[in-house]
Amino acid sequence: MRILFVSHTFPLEGEPLSNVGGMQRLAVEQEIALASHPDVELTSLVLRSSSRWTELRTGPFLLRLLWEIPRIVRSAAVDVVLFSSMVTAALAPLLKPRLRGTRVKLAATPVGRDVTLPNPAYQRLVPRIFSALDLVLPISRATAEECLSRGLAPEKLRIVPCGVDPSRFPPVENRSATRAELLAALKLVGGAPIPEGALLLCSVGRHQERKGFHWFVEHVMPRLPEDVVYLLGGSGPMTPRIQEIVRHRNLRDRVRVLGRISEEMLLTLFRGADLFVMPNIPVPGDMEGFGVVMLEAGLCGLPILAADLEGIRDVVRDGENGMLLPAGDADAFARAIESFRHNPGRLEAASRSSVQATLSRFSWEVVVEQYLEALRPLNSTTGALAPG
């Protein structure tokens, strides 16, 4: 199958931290997985940019695609154009007339907020995008429901989850050793020594309202004992508020705001912590489409304590890779965390289960086959060029 992959969310070459986030990670690994599959001939059109400049550069990139996509479709006999999000798929209504005379099909991977963005003009465009697409591959049931509510025809729908690359997160053989590595790394960034035997919670992500990090620091951490420490990676618009809550609640020793962290530090954090926390809260127009970071944490053996909300429900299964808890219920989160405190047997069993569940359901080897199962029926006739 000949696929043209289109994305506007790639980081700069050799600088993975220049553009980070779930949508970005999905697009990059989606391309790698498709390119490495023996049944796929992949051509890519991607915008590489830092997050600072992506918004400014996306418009000119999309305009160029109006000419580039039809040219490549014809020259490479492309079977399917796969857009990595609804942002690039917004070209579909304009591309249709430019692709007359071909049998190429158009598909897209909606991720969440690219469907629900609360902009009236954009929301008027969304049904037209769905009408022009031949197949829509949302990453979760929650995203699928948002697509259907905006006019997507059910027969065009096929849910395919995000994947994760196991080679990026090798198995933890000795968690005591990896914990020591994490504690040594934390000493370098300063702060009071972490108590021996402390339960280490961690979260990583952009500090925006829907992630609920500020809520967790303000409402859950004060309910927990002194030997529970929260390590928070990332940054964003809510960072100042989180830091203010830490100061106001006198949580400096128990909440460490780490800022943006390298790939190396991310691996150290996931391999040395005890539990991963995904404390999202509902925010109108800004849904959590999935949560790739939970897959990465799961591969490193972290059980996930997550809000029972939106696309998170497609990632976490109670008793397999963690627990789903009522969003905004501080007592429920505190009780769940306490249940692992001073219970190494339970923590170890949950860690093993998290790795196994993540590998069996979300490794790219599994997920890419789901993409191809969905795309192959679009290619029931061989070749993209029609006679004449």
Side-chain angles (χ1 to χ4, degrees):
M1 181 184 300
R2 295 175 290 274
I3 298 175
L4 173 57
F5 181 78
V6 183
S7 176
H8 77 297
T9 61
F10 273 48
L12 296 170
E13 191 74 50
E15 299 182 35
L17 294 181
S18 62
N19 200 348
V20 296
M23 180 188 289
Q24 290 82 354
R25 179 74 79 191
L26 169 62
V28 169
E29 294 197 357
Q30 194 178 22
E31 186 207 34
I32 293 170
L34 288 168
S36 61
H37 197 283
D39 295 342
V40 174
E41 295 178 23
L42 192 73
T43 304
S44 297
L45 283 171
V46 301
L47 173 62
R48 292 187 178 275
S49 175
S50 66
S51 55
R52 178 180 179 183
W53 297 106
T54 295
E55 187 172 343
L56 186 63
R57 296 184 62 194
T58 295
F61 175 69
L62 295 179
L63 286 174
R64 181 167 64 87
L65 292 180
L66 287 174
W67 282 267
E68 282 289 289
I69 289 175
R71 180 185 66 80
I72 293 174
V73 164
R74 289 182 167 87
S75 64
V78 171
D79 299 309
V80 178
V81 177
L82 177 60
F83 300 102
S84 73
S85 74
M86 289 287 284
V87 176
T88 45
L91 293 174
L94 297 175
L95 283 170
K96 277 290 189 181
R98 295 171 179 268
L99 294 170
R100 288 196 184 105
T102 76
R103 291 195 293 266
V104 70
K105 302 299 183 181
L106 304 180
T109 306
V111 297
R113 195 168 188 269
D114 58 342
V115 179
T116 64
L117 182 71
N119 178 295
Y122 181 74
Q123 286 302 315
R124 287 194 294 272
L125 176 62
V126 168
R128 293 184 56 208
I129 300 172
F130 287 145
S131 179
L133 292 169
D134 299 291
L135 183 65
V136 177
L137 302 158
I139 60 176
S140 65
R141 290 171 295 171
T143 304
E145 289 168 6
E146 296 292 346
C147 294
L148 292 170
S149 72
R150 287 161 174 78
L152 174 65
E155 62 270 18
K156 292 184 178 183
L157 177 72
R158 174 74 179 268
I159 299 170
V160 178
C162 297
V164 67
D165 179 5
S167 68
R168 288 182 54 232
F169 301 95
V172 177
E173 302 294 341
N174 184 339
R175 193 163 288 276
S176 296
T178 55
R179 180 187 177 93
E181 291 175 15
L182 174 58
L183 294 178
L186 292 173
K187 282 183 181 179
L188 296 178
V189 299
I194 292 176
E196 187 175 346
L199 186 72
L200 301 183
L201 317 176
C202 74
S203 297
V204 176
R206 181 166 167 76
H207 296 180
Q208 49 197 348
E209 186 177 6
R210 80 164 190 265
K211 294 294 185 181
F213 301 140
H214 63 291
W215 170 83
F216 185 82
V217 172
E218 184 167 16
H219 297 285
V220 180
M221 286 304 297
R223 286 172 159 80
L224 295 169
E226 293 293 317
D227 63 351
V228 178
V229 176
Y230 184 42
L231 308 173
L232 175 58
S235 62
M238 298 298 292
T239 303
R241 183 173 174 186
I242 294 168
Q243 292 170 331
E244 176 57 32
I245 294 168
V246 170
R247 287 191 293 269
H248 179 71
R249 292 281 189 164
N250 195 27
L251 293 168
R252 290 182 184 87
D253 293 341
R254 298 180 49 227
V255 177
R256 308 292 175 89
V257 182
L258 305 177
R260 293 180 65 178
I261 59 179
S262 66
E263 285 282 299
E264 182 181 6
M265 182 59 186
L266 179 70
L267 187 61
T268 300
L269 179 63
F270 285 169
R271 290 163 64 86
D274 296 307
L275 295 168
F276 186 84
V277 182
M278 193 81 172
N280 287 55
I281 57 175
V283 174
D286 192 12
M287 68 177 291
E288 187 69 59
F290 193 81
V292 174
V293 69
M294 292 184 285
L295 306 185
E296 298 172 343
L299 270 187
C300 291
L302 292 185
I304 302 157
L305 305 182
D308 187 3
L309 193 70
E310 300 163 345
I312 296 171
R313 295 174 176 137
D314 282 16
V315 182
V316 179
R317 290 181 181 173
D318 285 333
E320 290 188 12
N321 59 341
M323 300 170 65
L324 287 172
L325 304 163
D329 189 333
D331 286 334
F333 271 86
R335 285 194 301 271
I337 292 165
E338 285 268 28
S339 71
F340 287 97
R341 182 169 164 259
H342 303 317
N343 194 341
R346 183 173 190 222
L347 196 58
E348 184 178 347
S351 176
R352 288 196 303 269
S353 181
S354 188
V355 174
Q356 293 165 0
T358 305
L359 282 172
S360 64
R361 294 170 56 205
F362 299 115
S363 71
W364 271 114
E365 184 179 0
V366 173
V367 172
V368 75
E369 291 298 337
Q370 295 180 46
Y371 271 109
L372 295 183
E373 286 172 14
L375 294 171
R376 282 187 184 109
L378 297 181
N379 188 33
S380 56
T381 56
T382 303
L385 288 174

